[in-house]
Amino acid sequence: MKPLPLPVRIAAGLAVTALEQARKLPQQLAGLPLTVVSEAMQLSMRVQQHVTELAIKGDDVLSGLRPVEDEPEWATFDEDETPVTAEAPAADDPWEEEERALAEVPEFLPMYDELSIAQLRARLRNLSVEQLEELVGYEQAHEARPEFLGTLNRRIATVKAQS
């Protein structure tokens, strides 16, 4: 038997595929709105990515054409300001630097250096006056952060007043 011509075979394949797709249509209609929205969002994201890539390339080209601006005199940044410390240690005293380096984090609060001020406040309720005073000494020897020292000293006063 002689095979049918290629265009006839292709037409038959298309007809069968169309019939299969028509049978799946009721199931696909339920998810169609979600599919359309999803594809629209994907297209939107791709467009945004292309726009961003073009802007970055444009910035690269234009940055070579414009001179770099110096910081204006009136601009100040947090890093430029010197922090106010409660007790500034002498920078040229090697003994004090050694004591600070040797002081260890108190065992009852091993994560002290990683705590935020709010996290520290939450843990202070369970500490004794002696432990609080040990934390004050550690803080003064290391960071000497005013907000931490103030919180610790206020807690010590509160605990002493309650006793």
Side-chain angles (χ1 to χ4, degrees), residues 24-60:
K24 293 179 186 176
L25 192 58
Q27 295 170 348
Q28 292 176 340
L29 282 177
L32 187 62
L34 185 61
T35 303
V36 169
V37 169
S38 174
E39 287 181 10
M41 289 179 67
Q42 288 177 359
L43 178 63
S44 170
M45 294 290 285
R46 277 191 230 114
V47 168
Q48 288 176 355
Q49 286 176 340
H50 289 300
V51 168
T52 303
E53 288 172 4
L54 290 172
I56 290 170
K57 285 182 182 179
D59 286 344
D60 289 343

PDB file of all heavy atoms in Angstrom, residues 24-60:
ATOM      1  N   LYS A  24     -10.431  18.382  26.075  1.00  0.00           N
ATOM      2  CA  LYS A  24      -9.813  18.918  27.291  1.00  0.00           C
ATOM      3  C   LYS A  24     -10.350  20.301  27.650  1.00  0.00           C
ATOM      4  O   LYS A  24     -10.136  20.780  28.749  1.00  0.00           O
ATOM      5  CB  LYS A  24      -8.294  19.037  27.118  1.00  0.00           C
ATOM      6  CG  LYS A  24      -7.573  17.725  27.002  1.00  0.00           C
ATOM      7  CD  LYS A  24      -6.084  17.990  26.822  1.00  0.00           C
ATOM      8  CE  LYS A  24      -5.295  16.735  26.556  1.00  0.00           C
ATOM      9  NZ  LYS A  24      -3.886  17.044  26.293  1.00  0.00           N
ATOM     10  N   LEU A  25     -11.044  20.940  26.722  1.00  0.00           N
ATOM     11  CA  LEU A  25     -11.480  22.322  26.897  1.00  0.00           C
ATOM     12  C   LEU A  25     -12.307  22.560  28.162  1.00  0.00           C
ATOM     13  O   LEU A  25     -12.040  23.518  28.888  1.00  0.00           O
ATOM     14  CB  LEU A  25     -12.233  22.802  25.653  1.00  0.00           C
ATOM     15  CG  LEU A  25     -12.506  24.293  25.570  1.00  0.00           C
ATOM     16  CD1 LEU A  25     -11.200  25.072  25.623  1.00  0.00           C
ATOM     17  CD2 LEU A  25     -13.268  24.627  24.299  1.00  0.00           C
ATOM     18  N   PRO A  26     -13.294  21.722  28.517  1.00  0.00           N
ATOM     19  CA  PRO A  26     -14.067  21.986  29.742  1.00  0.00           C
ATOM     20  C   PRO A  26     -13.193  22.021  31.004  1.00  0.00           C
ATOM     21  O   PRO A  26     -13.411  22.835  31.891  1.00  0.00           O
ATOM     22  CB  PRO A  26     -15.071  20.831  29.805  1.00  0.00           C
ATOM     23  CG  PRO A  26     -15.204  20.366  28.394  1.00  0.00           C
ATOM     24  CD  PRO A  26     -13.868  20.608  27.755  1.00  0.00           C
ATOM     25  N   GLN A  27     -12.192  21.149  31.050  1.00  0.00           N
ATOM     26  CA  GLN A  27     -11.295  21.142  32.202  1.00  0.00           C
ATOM     27  C   GLN A  27     -10.406  22.387  32.207  1.00  0.00           C
ATOM     28  O   GLN A  27     -10.117  22.958  33.255  1.00  0.00           O
ATOM     29  CB  GLN A  27     -10.413  19.893  32.179  1.00  0.00           C
ATOM     30  CG  GLN A  27     -11.182  18.610  32.350  1.00  0.00           C
ATOM     31  CD  GLN A  27     -10.304  17.392  32.080  1.00  0.00           C
ATOM     32  OE1 GLN A  27      -9.203  17.516  31.567  1.00  0.00           O
ATOM     33  NE2 GLN A  27     -10.824  16.220  32.425  1.00  0.00           N
ATOM     34  N   GLN A  28      -9.964  22.815  31.046  1.00  0.00           N
ATOM     35  CA  GLN A  28      -9.066  23.957  30.938  1.00  0.00           C
ATOM     36  C   GLN A  28      -9.796  25.281  31.159  1.00  0.00           C
ATOM     37  O   GLN A  28      -9.185  26.257  31.576  1.00  0.00           O
ATOM     38  CB  GLN A  28      -8.360  23.973  29.584  1.00  0.00           C
ATOM     39  CG  GLN A  28      -7.373  22.829  29.425  1.00  0.00           C
ATOM     40  CD  GLN A  28      -6.743  22.805  28.034  1.00  0.00           C
ATOM     41  OE1 GLN A  28      -7.281  23.371  27.101  1.00  0.00           O
ATOM     42  NE2 GLN A  28      -5.613  22.130  27.926  1.00  0.00           N
ATOM     43  N   LEU A  29     -11.098  25.322  30.886  1.00  0.00           N
ATOM     44  CA  LEU A  29     -11.846  26.562  31.059  1.00  0.00           C
ATOM     45  C   LEU A  29     -11.869  27.009  32.519  1.00  0.00           C
ATOM     46  O   LEU A  29     -11.855  28.199  32.808  1.00  0.00           O
ATOM     47  CB  LEU A  29     -13.277  26.420  30.537  1.00  0.00           C
ATOM     48  CG  LEU A  29     -13.439  26.505  29.022  1.00  0.00           C
ATOM     49  CD1 LEU A  29     -14.894  26.266  28.633  1.00  0.00           C
ATOM     50  CD2 LEU A  29     -12.968  27.844  28.500  1.00  0.00           C
ATOM     51  N   ALA A  30     -11.906  26.040  33.438  1.00  0.00           N
ATOM     52  CA  ALA A  30     -11.943  26.380  34.865  1.00  0.00           C
ATOM     53  C   ALA A  30     -10.661  27.110  35.275  1.00  0.00           C
ATOM     54  O   ALA A  30     -10.698  28.055  36.061  1.00  0.00           O
ATOM     55  CB  ALA A  30     -12.124  25.126  35.695  1.00  0.00           C
ATOM     56  N   GLY A  31      -9.535  26.700  34.737  1.00  0.00           N
ATOM     57  CA  GLY A  31      -8.262  27.327  35.101  1.00  0.00           C
ATOM     58  C   GLY A  31      -7.839  28.432  34.163  1.00  0.00           C
ATOM     59  O   GLY A  31      -6.784  29.045  34.360  1.00  0.00           O
ATOM     60  N   LEU A  32      -8.634  28.723  33.155  1.00  0.00           N
ATOM     61  CA  LEU A  32      -8.249  29.713  32.150  1.00  0.00           C
ATOM     62  C   LEU A  32      -8.019  31.106  32.733  1.00  0.00           C
ATOM     63  O   LEU A  32      -7.000  31.722  32.428  1.00  0.00           O
ATOM     64  CB  LEU A  32      -9.293  29.759  31.024  1.00  0.00           C
ATOM     65  CG  LEU A  32      -8.929  30.641  29.831  1.00  0.00           C
ATOM     66  CD1 LEU A  32      -7.664  30.120  29.166  1.00  0.00           C
ATOM     67  CD2 LEU A  32     -10.078  30.691  28.833  1.00  0.00           C
ATOM     68  N   PRO A  33      -8.907  31.621  33.594  1.00  0.00           N
ATOM     69  CA  PRO A  33      -8.643  32.965  34.131  1.00  0.00           C
ATOM     70  C   PRO A  33      -7.321  33.037  34.898  1.00  0.00           C
ATOM     71  O   PRO A  33      -6.564  33.996  34.763  1.00  0.00           O
ATOM     72  CB  PRO A  33      -9.825  33.227  35.062  1.00  0.00           C
ATOM     73  CG  PRO A  33     -10.900  32.320  34.588  1.00  0.00           C
ATOM     74  CD  PRO A  33     -10.209  31.122  34.016  1.00  0.00           C
ATOM     75  N   LEU A  34      -7.047  32.010  35.673  1.00  0.00           N
ATOM     76  CA  LEU A  34      -5.799  31.985  36.433  1.00  0.00           C
ATOM     77  C   LEU A  34      -4.600  31.915  35.492  1.00  0.00           C
ATOM     78  O   LEU A  34      -3.595  32.586  35.704  1.00  0.00           O
ATOM     79  CB  LEU A  34      -5.805  30.792  37.393  1.00  0.00           C
ATOM     80  CG  LEU A  34      -4.622  30.700  38.342  1.00  0.00           C
ATOM     81  CD1 LEU A  34      -4.573  31.921  39.241  1.00  0.00           C
ATOM     82  CD2 LEU A  34      -4.728  29.438  39.179  1.00  0.00           C
ATOM     83  N   THR A  35      -4.706  31.119  34.439  1.00  0.00           N
ATOM     84  CA  THR A  35      -3.622  30.992  33.466  1.00  0.00           C
ATOM     85  C   THR A  35      -3.376  32.321  32.764  1.00  0.00           C
ATOM     86  O   THR A  35      -2.228  32.745  32.600  1.00  0.00           O
ATOM     87  CB  THR A  35      -3.955  29.906  32.430  1.00  0.00           C
ATOM     88  OG1 THR A  35      -4.210  28.679  33.113  1.00  0.00           O
ATOM     89  CG2 THR A  35      -2.826  29.709  31.461  1.00  0.00           C
ATOM     90  N   VAL A  36      -4.437  32.999  32.379  1.00  0.00           N
ATOM     91  CA  VAL A  36      -4.294  34.280  31.680  1.00  0.00           C
ATOM     92  C   VAL A  36      -3.631  35.305  32.598  1.00  0.00           C
ATOM     93  O   VAL A  36      -2.707  36.011  32.194  1.00  0.00           O
ATOM     94  CB  VAL A  36      -5.676  34.784  31.189  1.00  0.00           C
ATOM     95  CG1 VAL A  36      -5.601  36.212  30.705  1.00  0.00           C
ATOM     96  CG2 VAL A  36      -6.197  33.882  30.081  1.00  0.00           C
ATOM     97  N   VAL A  37      -4.092  35.365  33.853  1.00  0.00           N
ATOM     98  CA  VAL A  37      -3.510  36.316  34.805  1.00  0.00           C
ATOM     99  C   VAL A  37      -2.037  35.993  35.041  1.00  0.00           C
ATOM    100  O   VAL A  37      -1.182  36.879  35.062  1.00  0.00           O
ATOM    101  CB  VAL A  37      -4.302  36.307  36.129  1.00  0.00           C
ATOM    102  CG1 VAL A  37      -3.578  37.082  37.215  1.00  0.00           C
ATOM    103  CG2 VAL A  37      -5.696  36.878  35.913  1.00  0.00           C
ATOM    104  N   SER A  38      -1.733  34.730  35.214  1.00  0.00           N
ATOM    105  CA  SER A  38      -0.351  34.313  35.454  1.00  0.00           C
ATOM    106  C   SER A  38       0.550  34.684  34.285  1.00  0.00           C
ATOM    107  O   SER A  38       1.646  35.220  34.479  1.00  0.00           O
ATOM    108  CB  SER A  38      -0.309  32.807  35.696  1.00  0.00           C
ATOM    109  OG  SER A  38       1.019  32.352  35.788  1.00  0.00           O
ATOM    110  N   GLU A  39       0.103  34.420  33.082  1.00  0.00           N
ATOM    111  CA  GLU A  39       0.914  34.747  31.913  1.00  0.00           C
ATOM    112  C   GLU A  39       1.075  36.260  31.751  1.00  0.00           C
ATOM    113  O   GLU A  39       2.135  36.738  31.363  1.00  0.00           O
ATOM    114  CB  GLU A  39       0.313  34.117  30.658  1.00  0.00           C
ATOM    115  CG  GLU A  39       0.514  32.611  30.621  1.00  0.00           C
ATOM    116  CD  GLU A  39      -0.057  31.962  29.364  1.00  0.00           C
ATOM    117  OE1 GLU A  39      -0.445  32.690  28.440  1.00  0.00           O
ATOM    118  OE2 GLU A  39      -0.098  30.719  29.340  1.00  0.00           O
ATOM    119  N   ALA A  40       0.023  37.015  32.068  1.00  0.00           N
ATOM    120  CA  ALA A  40       0.111  38.476  31.996  1.00  0.00           C
ATOM    121  C   ALA A  40       1.127  38.998  33.009  1.00  0.00           C
ATOM    122  O   ALA A  40       1.914  39.907  32.699  1.00  0.00           O
ATOM    123  CB  ALA A  40      -1.259  39.105  32.238  1.00  0.00           C
ATOM    124  N   MET A  41       1.132  38.418  34.205  1.00  0.00           N
ATOM    125  CA  MET A  41       2.094  38.849  35.222  1.00  0.00           C
ATOM    126  C   MET A  41       3.514  38.493  34.815  1.00  0.00           C
ATOM    127  O   MET A  41       4.444  39.277  35.023  1.00  0.00           O
ATOM    128  CB  MET A  41       1.741  38.221  36.573  1.00  0.00           C
ATOM    129  CG  MET A  41       0.476  38.803  37.178  1.00  0.00           C
ATOM    130  SD  MET A  41       0.020  38.049  38.753  1.00  0.00           S
ATOM    131  CE  MET A  41       1.366  38.591  39.778  1.00  0.00           C
ATOM    132  N   GLN A  42       3.689  37.313  34.219  1.00  0.00           N
ATOM    133  CA  GLN A  42       5.019  36.924  33.749  1.00  0.00           C
ATOM    134  C   GLN A  42       5.512  37.871  32.671  1.00  0.00           C
ATOM    135  O   GLN A  42       6.679  38.282  32.678  1.00  0.00           O
ATOM    136  CB  GLN A  42       4.999  35.491  33.220  1.00  0.00           C
ATOM    137  CG  GLN A  42       4.876  34.438  34.290  1.00  0.00           C
ATOM    138  CD  GLN A  42       4.790  33.031  33.693  1.00  0.00           C
ATOM    139  OE1 GLN A  42       4.801  32.847  32.487  1.00  0.00           O
ATOM    140  NE2 GLN A  42       4.686  32.039  34.574  1.00  0.00           N
ATOM    141  N   LEU A  43       4.634  38.223  31.752  1.00  0.00           N
ATOM    142  CA  LEU A  43       5.000  39.156  30.695  1.00  0.00           C
ATOM    143  C   LEU A  43       5.372  40.512  31.290  1.00  0.00           C
ATOM    144  O   LEU A  43       6.370  41.123  30.892  1.00  0.00           O
ATOM    145  CB  LEU A  43       3.847  39.310  29.699  1.00  0.00           C
ATOM    146  CG  LEU A  43       4.078  40.306  28.570  1.00  0.00           C
ATOM    147  CD1 LEU A  43       5.235  39.861  27.688  1.00  0.00           C
ATOM    148  CD2 LEU A  43       2.815  40.486  27.742  1.00  0.00           C
ATOM    149  N   SER A  44       4.589  40.967  32.261  1.00  0.00           N
ATOM    150  CA  SER A  44       4.873  42.236  32.922  1.00  0.00           C
ATOM    151  C   SER A  44       6.238  42.207  33.601  1.00  0.00           C
ATOM    152  O   SER A  44       7.015  43.166  33.505  1.00  0.00           O
ATOM    153  CB  SER A  44       3.788  42.530  33.952  1.00  0.00           C
ATOM    154  OG  SER A  44       4.143  43.608  34.760  1.00  0.00           O
ATOM    155  N   MET A  45       6.555  41.110  34.281  1.00  0.00           N
ATOM    156  CA  MET A  45       7.860  40.976  34.946  1.00  0.00           C
ATOM    157  C   MET A  45       9.002  40.988  33.933  1.00  0.00           C
ATOM    158  O   MET A  45      10.028  41.617  34.157  1.00  0.00           O
ATOM    159  CB  MET A  45       7.905  39.684  35.777  1.00  0.00           C
ATOM    160  CG  MET A  45       6.953  39.667  36.946  1.00  0.00           C
ATOM    161  SD  MET A  45       7.432  40.797  38.223  1.00  0.00           S
ATOM    162  CE  MET A  45       8.775  39.909  38.941  1.00  0.00           C
ATOM    163  N   ARG A  46       8.817  40.284  32.803  1.00  0.00           N
ATOM    164  CA  ARG A  46       9.859  40.269  31.771  1.00  0.00           C
ATOM    165  C   ARG A  46      10.096  41.674  31.220  1.00  0.00           C
ATOM    166  O   ARG A  46      11.236  42.076  31.006  1.00  0.00           O
ATOM    167  CB  ARG A  46       9.473  39.305  30.644  1.00  0.00           C
ATOM    168  CG  ARG A  46       9.836  37.880  30.971  1.00  0.00           C
ATOM    169  CD  ARG A  46       9.689  36.975  29.748  1.00  0.00           C
ATOM    170  NE  ARG A  46       8.906  35.827  30.182  1.00  0.00           N
ATOM    171  CZ  ARG A  46       7.701  35.518  29.777  1.00  0.00           C
ATOM    172  NH1 ARG A  46       7.100  36.231  28.871  1.00  0.00           N
ATOM    173  NH2 ARG A  46       7.068  34.469  30.261  1.00  0.00           N
ATOM    174  N   VAL A  47       9.006  42.410  30.993  1.00  0.00           N
ATOM    175  CA  VAL A  47       9.137  43.779  30.488  1.00  0.00           C
ATOM    176  C   VAL A  47       9.884  44.638  31.502  1.00  0.00           C
ATOM    177  O   VAL A  47      10.784  45.406  31.142  1.00  0.00           O
ATOM    178  CB  VAL A  47       7.749  44.374  30.165  1.00  0.00           C
ATOM    179  CG1 VAL A  47       7.827  45.868  29.919  1.00  0.00           C
ATOM    180  CG2 VAL A  47       7.134  43.671  28.952  1.00  0.00           C
ATOM    181  N   GLN A  48       9.536  44.497  32.791  1.00  0.00           N
ATOM    182  CA  GLN A  48      10.223  45.266  33.833  1.00  0.00           C
ATOM    183  C   GLN A  48      11.707  44.927  33.891  1.00  0.00           C
ATOM    184  O   GLN A  48      12.550  45.805  34.063  1.00  0.00           O
ATOM    185  CB  GLN A  48       9.581  44.998  35.196  1.00  0.00           C
ATOM    186  CG  GLN A  48       8.222  45.622  35.367  1.00  0.00           C
ATOM    187  CD  GLN A  48       7.586  45.254  36.702  1.00  0.00           C
ATOM    188  OE1 GLN A  48       8.124  44.457  37.465  1.00  0.00           O
ATOM    189  NE2 GLN A  48       6.432  45.840  36.970  1.00  0.00           N
ATOM    190  N   GLN A  49      12.039  43.646  33.738  1.00  0.00           N
ATOM    191  CA  GLN A  49      13.443  43.237  33.747  1.00  0.00           C
ATOM    192  C   GLN A  49      14.196  43.852  32.574  1.00  0.00           C
ATOM    193  O   GLN A  49      15.320  44.343  32.734  1.00  0.00           O
ATOM    194  CB  GLN A  49      13.558  41.713  33.700  1.00  0.00           C
ATOM    195  CG  GLN A  49      13.195  41.044  34.995  1.00  0.00           C
ATOM    196  CD  GLN A  49      13.212  39.522  34.898  1.00  0.00           C
ATOM    197  OE1 GLN A  49      13.129  38.955  33.800  1.00  0.00           O
ATOM    198  NE2 GLN A  49      13.299  38.857  36.029  1.00  0.00           N
ATOM    199  N   HIS A  50      13.574  43.842  31.396  1.00  0.00           N
ATOM    200  CA  HIS A  50      14.230  44.421  30.224  1.00  0.00           C
ATOM    201  C   HIS A  50      14.421  45.926  30.392  1.00  0.00           C
ATOM    202  O   HIS A  50      15.476  46.464  30.052  1.00  0.00           O
ATOM    203  CB  HIS A  50      13.433  44.121  28.953  1.00  0.00           C
ATOM    204  CG  HIS A  50      13.495  42.685  28.532  1.00  0.00           C
ATOM    205  ND1 HIS A  50      14.673  42.049  28.222  1.00  0.00           N
ATOM    206  CD2 HIS A  50      12.519  41.757  28.382  1.00  0.00           C
ATOM    207  CE1 HIS A  50      14.427  40.792  27.900  1.00  0.00           C
ATOM    208  NE2 HIS A  50      13.120  40.581  27.992  1.00  0.00           N
ATOM    209  N   VAL A  51      13.409  46.604  30.925  1.00  0.00           N
ATOM    210  CA  VAL A  51      13.525  48.050  31.154  1.00  0.00           C
ATOM    211  C   VAL A  51      14.649  48.338  32.141  1.00  0.00           C
ATOM    212  O   VAL A  51      15.460  49.243  31.937  1.00  0.00           O
ATOM    213  CB  VAL A  51      12.176  48.627  31.646  1.00  0.00           C
ATOM    214  CG1 VAL A  51      12.332  50.039  32.168  1.00  0.00           C
ATOM    215  CG2 VAL A  51      11.146  48.593  30.528  1.00  0.00           C
ATOM    216  N   THR A  52      14.724  47.546  33.214  1.00  0.00           N
ATOM    217  CA  THR A  52      15.778  47.737  34.210  1.00  0.00           C
ATOM    218  C   THR A  52      17.151  47.486  33.599  1.00  0.00           C
ATOM    219  O   THR A  52      18.097  48.243  33.848  1.00  0.00           O
ATOM    220  CB  THR A  52      15.554  46.799  35.412  1.00  0.00           C
ATOM    221  OG1 THR A  52      14.255  47.050  35.954  1.00  0.00           O
ATOM    222  CG2 THR A  52      16.600  47.002  36.481  1.00  0.00           C
ATOM    223  N   GLU A  53      17.285  46.430  32.794  1.00  0.00           N
ATOM    224  CA  GLU A  53      18.565  46.151  32.139  1.00  0.00           C
ATOM    225  C   GLU A  53      18.973  47.307  31.229  1.00  0.00           C
ATOM    226  O   GLU A  53      20.142  47.711  31.205  1.00  0.00           O
ATOM    227  CB  GLU A  53      18.468  44.856  31.329  1.00  0.00           C
ATOM    228  CG  GLU A  53      18.418  43.614  32.182  1.00  0.00           C
ATOM    229  CD  GLU A  53      18.129  42.356  31.365  1.00  0.00           C
ATOM    230  OE1 GLU A  53      18.041  42.447  30.124  1.00  0.00           O
ATOM    231  OE2 GLU A  53      17.981  41.289  31.982  1.00  0.00           O
ATOM    232  N   LEU A  54      18.015  47.852  30.489  1.00  0.00           N
ATOM    233  CA  LEU A  54      18.315  48.988  29.617  1.00  0.00           C
ATOM    234  C   LEU A  54      18.742  50.213  30.430  1.00  0.00           C
ATOM    235  O   LEU A  54      19.677  50.923  30.045  1.00  0.00           O
ATOM    236  CB  LEU A  54      17.105  49.325  28.744  1.00  0.00           C
ATOM    237  CG  LEU A  54      16.766  48.311  27.650  1.00  0.00           C
ATOM    238  CD1 LEU A  54      15.441  48.677  26.989  1.00  0.00           C
ATOM    239  CD2 LEU A  54      17.878  48.230  26.626  1.00  0.00           C
ATOM    240  N   ALA A  55      18.065  50.454  31.551  1.00  0.00           N
ATOM    241  CA  ALA A  55      18.419  51.590  32.400  1.00  0.00           C
ATOM    242  C   ALA A  55      19.825  51.425  32.969  1.00  0.00           C
ATOM    243  O   ALA A  55      20.595  52.384  33.033  1.00  0.00           O
ATOM    244  CB  ALA A  55      17.405  51.746  33.530  1.00  0.00           C
ATOM    245  N   ILE A  56      20.177  50.213  33.375  1.00  0.00           N
ATOM    246  CA  ILE A  56      21.516  49.957  33.915  1.00  0.00           C
ATOM    247  C   ILE A  56      22.570  50.197  32.835  1.00  0.00           C
ATOM    248  O   ILE A  56      23.603  50.828  33.086  1.00  0.00           O
ATOM    249  CB  ILE A  56      21.608  48.527  34.486  1.00  0.00           C
ATOM    250  CG1 ILE A  56      20.768  48.420  35.757  1.00  0.00           C
ATOM    251  CG2 ILE A  56      23.053  48.136  34.762  1.00  0.00           C
ATOM    252  CD1 ILE A  56      20.599  47.014  36.279  1.00  0.00           C
ATOM    253  N   LYS A  57      22.322  49.701  31.640  1.00  0.00           N
ATOM    254  CA  LYS A  57      23.265  49.934  30.544  1.00  0.00           C
ATOM    255  C   LYS A  57      23.392  51.425  30.253  1.00  0.00           C
ATOM    256  O   LYS A  57      24.490  51.934  30.023  1.00  0.00           O
ATOM    257  CB  LYS A  57      22.809  49.188  29.282  1.00  0.00           C
ATOM    258  CG  LYS A  57      23.046  47.706  29.336  1.00  0.00           C
ATOM    259  CD  LYS A  57      22.609  47.035  28.047  1.00  0.00           C
ATOM    260  CE  LYS A  57      22.805  45.534  28.129  1.00  0.00           C
ATOM    261  NZ  LYS A  57      22.379  44.859  26.899  1.00  0.00           N
ATOM    262  N   GLY A  58      22.252  52.131  30.261  1.00  0.00           N
ATOM    263  CA  GLY A  58      22.282  53.569  30.031  1.00  0.00           C
ATOM    264  C   GLY A  58      23.067  54.291  31.112  1.00  0.00           C
ATOM    265  O   GLY A  58      23.847  55.211  30.825  1.00  0.00           O
ATOM    266  N   ASP A  59      22.884  53.880  32.371  1.00  0.00           N
ATOM    267  CA  ASP A  59      23.635  54.485  33.469  1.00  0.00           C
ATOM    268  C   ASP A  59      25.130  54.269  33.304  1.00  0.00           C
ATOM    269  O   ASP A  59      25.932  55.175  33.550  1.00  0.00           O
ATOM    270  CB  ASP A  59      23.191  53.904  34.810  1.00  0.00           C
ATOM    271  CG  ASP A  59      21.827  54.409  35.246  1.00  0.00           C
ATOM    272  OD1 ASP A  59      21.357  55.418  34.678  1.00  0.00           O
ATOM    273  OD2 ASP A  59      21.231  53.789  36.157  1.00  0.00           O
ATOM    274  N   ASP A  60      25.506  53.058  32.882  1.00  0.00           N
ATOM    275  CA  ASP A  60      26.929  52.766  32.674  1.00  0.00           C
ATOM    276  C   ASP A  60      27.532  53.677  31.620  1.00  0.00           C
ATOM    277  O   ASP A  60      28.629  54.207  31.791  1.00  0.00           O
ATOM    278  CB  ASP A  60      27.124  51.296  32.272  1.00  0.00           C
ATOM    279  CG  ASP A  60      26.863  50.338  33.429  1.00  0.00           C
ATOM    280  OD1 ASP A  60      26.847  50.802  34.589  1.00  0.00           O
ATOM    281  OD2 ASP A  60      26.667  49.137  33.157  1.00  0.00           O
TER     282      ASP A  60
END
